Each structure stands twice: as C-alpha cells, then as structure tokens.
Amino acid sequence: MNKNIRIVFRVDEKEAEIIEKEEKNYQNRSEFFRALLRKFLPLHENREVQIELERLRMEIHKIGININQIVRNNNSELYFQKDKKTLEDDLKKIIFLQEKLIEKLGEL
C-alpha cells in the first residue's frame, strides 16, 4: 500500500509527552498512529467481522451463565437429568462458536 498522504495536526505539551513516551514501543511515529487508528477507528472491511465477533462473544457469555446455573443447581442437589442434556448441548455450542471465532479472526 502506498503511503504518500501526509497529515499534520497540533497537540499540547502534555499530549506531546504522552506521544513521545508511547511511540517508543513502535518502529516510528507513523506506525504508532496507524496502530491507534486500527484500534479506535476500525476499517470498514473489518467492521462486519468485529460486529460478528462481538455477537459470538455475547452468545458464549450467555451459555456460560447457563452453565453456571446448572453447576449451582448441581451443588445444591437440585440437579435434573435435563440439566445434563442442556449442559452437553451448551458445551457443543461453545465448541462450534469457538471454531467460528477462530475462522473470523483469520479474516482480520
């Protein structure tokens, strides 16, 4: 990719100090600002993937809550056979969603 567009902007002394400190972790100042852009202003082409990743993360979180409830019931001796089936189904779903996450991460 040809990077021939130059952007100039002003900062105050404190901001300049922060930039100088943080940019040491990068090859140069340009790489530092590109990393910031990628983190805070995702490219449109990656935005759909990021939305899907967030949806998958939330779904896995909900499954985790269900698993915690089943385990709590089990520990309280309120365990039902249907809980075992639900737990097995949830674990299969987590494996499937993890595979989708890995696939989506490969698209980034």
Side-chain angles (χ1 to χ4, degrees):
M1 181 183 316
N2 190 1
K3 297 176 179 131
N4 60 358
I5 299 173
R6 186 177 180 124
I7 298 175
V8 179
F9 60 95
R10 298 179 190 275
V11 295
D12 62 28
E13 285 184 33
K14 184 172 182 169
E15 291 167 334
E17 289 173 12
I18 293 170
I19 291 169
E20 288 172 6
K21 178 183 172 194
E22 295 297 322
E23 73 183 351
K24 291 177 183 175
N25 299 318
Y26 297 85
Q27 288 180 338
N28 56 46
R29 187 171 281 177
S30 294
E31 288 300 318
F32 168 66
F33 283 111
R34 283 189 203 101
L36 285 176
L37 284 172
R38 283 190 298 274
K39 182 175 181 179
F40 293 106
L41 298 174
L43 299 174
H44 179 69
E45 61 197 40
N46 292 336
R47 188 68 185 138
E48 290 176 18
V49 173
Q50 290 174 332
I51 290 169
E52 178 69 7
L53 288 173
E54 180 62 20
R55 188 190 68 75
L56 292 172
R57 189 193 68 75
M58 291 299 297
E59 194 168 344
I60 289 172
H61 177 74
K62 288 177 187 177
I63 292 170
I65 291 171
N66 290 343
I67 290 171
N68 286 338
Q69 290 172 343
I70 291 170
V71 169
R72 190 177 317 114
N73 287 344
N74 184 48
N75 292 339
S76 302
E77 298 180 9
L78 299 172
Y79 185 75
F80 300 105
Q81 192 60 32
K82 71 176 182 134
D83 288 339
K84 181 179 178 183
K85 175 72 173 130
T86 302
L87 186 57
E88 288 172 353
D89 291 344
D90 285 347
L91 291 173
K92 287 177 186 175
K93 195 169 186 181
I94 285 176
I95 291 169
F96 172 75
L97 292 171
Q98 283 179 327
E99 290 169 355
K100 280 184 76 172
L101 277 172
I102 290 168
E103 180 184 315
K104 291 293 181 185
L105 287 171
E107 294 175 17
L108 286 177

